[in-house]
Amino acid sequence: RCGLCVQMVAPLLRIGTDVNHYQTQREPLCHFVPPAPGIDFSGSVSPAATDRTAARRYCGCDRVVAIGRSGASGGVGLFDASGVTVTPLPPVASPAGALMPTGGGARDVALGGAFGEQAWVTSDDGQLSVFDVSPGASREVDIVDGDPANGTQRITLGVEPRGIAMLHDRPFALVATETDIVVLNTETGTMTGIFPAGSLGFPAGTRPLDIVVTHDDAAAFVSAYSLDPQSPSKTVVILALDATALSTGVGTLSGSTVNLIGPCNPQQLALSHDGKWVAVTCPKSNEVALLDATTGALADIDPNSEPFNAQFSAPPLFQPSGIPSALAWADDDSGVYVG
């Protein structure tokens, strides 16, 4: 997570004076989030404007973590992205390009640990695997008890875990299973709460699928995906991340909902780097919707024209499948890449 770079003691990365003043010309590859309100972004290191890899080197974004699956198997691959080319990296005692295996087909990944050096991966077998992806490590680790005598233990989550998201300044992760939102303590590797989807506002016949957490850790957006292709969902659930509920499982995450336009059946979510927008793929209607991350309301993507329009139509390049299924915001948040 590039945002952790602002917490480094030395060398500091100069990126402006506050969250609204990024020096994007000098740091073209990374955008940052303050670790707490009032943090001054002044620093002592300023990469050359022409060196597009400097920002990655200073902020630590020099590795790419990729997940894959084939049938009932899957794994995690690592790539070096610190230079001009992206090079496959070998796991410990394995050839370059080899995958570190997960228990089942890998579904989603989130980076955790003090400096984002751990990859937390959900898989089809209902478990969560944790990998050390720091330089020179590249191996699965036991986050449960760390006792080699017990083998490498994985965290059992439930049926068909999919999306996983880390909180930014609190040691918790949220996981979407077929029936629940599961809360994990990322420091202890323990499950602290299981919240049934029905109690959080998910419509009947839908399941939690993908998750993004706002920069202030106040809320999580979760896509409500319909299991019935003849009855697509149009709902995104917004969870209020209560500290007591996260740490003890007591109470609720206070779910509210926002309805998209038409038969969307929301799937993948992506939060903009500045934390203002949530993009949502609508595979059923072949669109991408945009939500205001602060209010949770549908955003008007073109306020200068009528009528109100909150959803982009996917271009013909998606044919013949016509299914937008992956999202990534541009470095300057000027647009969304859709795959």
Side-chain angles (χ1 to χ4, degrees), residues 13 32 38 40 43 53 55 89 102 111 127 152 185 222 225 237 257 260 280 282 294 314 321 328:
L13 184 65
F32 303 88
D40 192 338
T53 66
L89 291 171
T102 52
L111 298 183
Q127 295 186 317
T152 301
N185 184 310
V222 188
Y225 183 76
V237 176
T257 61
L260 306 176
V280 187
C282 295
T294 302
S321 67

Side-chain angles (χ1 to χ4, degrees), residues 6-273:
V6 299
Q7 298 178 34
M8 294 174 60
V9 176
L12 297 176
L13 184 65
R14 185 194 315 158
I15 60 174
T17 56
D18 59 45
V19 72
N20 297 313
H21 184 203
Y22 296 124
Q23 291 190 353
T24 54
Q25 292 80 13
R26 290 188 178 276
E27 288 74 43
L29 297 176
C30 296
H31 288 258
F32 303 88
V33 180
I39 293 292
D40 192 338
F41 279 78
S42 61
S44 59
V45 174
S46 183
T50 56
D51 186 352
R52 292 189 63 82
T53 66
R56 285 189 177 184
R57 287 202 301 269
Y58 283 115
C59 79
C61 302
D62 57 356
R63 316 191 93 195
V64 174
V65 178
I67 60 173
R69 66 182 184 275
S70 177
S73 63
V76 177
L78 297 175
F79 301 84
D80 184 344
S82 61
V84 178
T85 60
V86 177
T87 306
L89 291 171
V92 174
S94 299
L99 293 178
M100 294 179 284
T102 52
R107 285 291 181 170
D108 197 16
V109 59
L111 298 183
F115 296 98
E117 75 280 7
Q118 293 178 340
W120 291 53
V121 183
T122 58
S123 56
D124 285 334
D125 64 347
Q127 295 186 317
L128 181 137
S129 304
V130 181
F131 298 88
D132 186 341
V133 294
S134 58
S138 307
R139 59 185 176 83
E140 187 173 1
V141 296
D142 187 344
I143 195 69
V144 177
D145 65 9
D147 186 352
N150 297 330
T152 301
Q153 298 186 74
R154 294 166 175 162
I155 301 173
T156 300
L157 297 168
V159 178
E160 293 192 358
R162 291 295 185 261
I164 178 172
M166 296 283 179
L167 274 67
H168 302 279
D169 296 315
R170 290 189 276 177
F172 299 104
L174 305 177
V175 182
T177 71
E178 186 176 68
T179 57
D180 308 296
I181 295 294
V182 176
V183 182
L184 303 173
N185 184 310
T186 57
E187 292 181 340
T188 63
T190 57
M191 190 179 298
T192 60
I194 301 176
F195 298 89
S199 70
L200 299 175
F202 286 84
T206 69
R207 60 152 296 165
L209 193 67
D210 198 21
I211 307 175
V212 295
V213 175
T214 57
H215 286 167
D216 59 3
D217 287 344
F221 287 71
V222 188
S223 52
Y225 183 76
S226 174
L227 305 176
D228 181 0
Q230 302 304 316
S231 181
S233 165
K234 58 180 180 180
T235 301
V236 172
V237 176
I238 305 171
L239 305 178
L241 301 183
D242 176 75
T244 300
L246 291 173
S247 59
T248 66
V250 177
T252 181
L253 298 181
S254 303
S256 60
T257 61
V258 57
N259 287 328
L260 306 176
I261 300 172
C264 171
N265 214 15
Q267 194 170 51
Q268 299 302 310
L269 308 176
L271 182 69
S272 61
H273 297 98

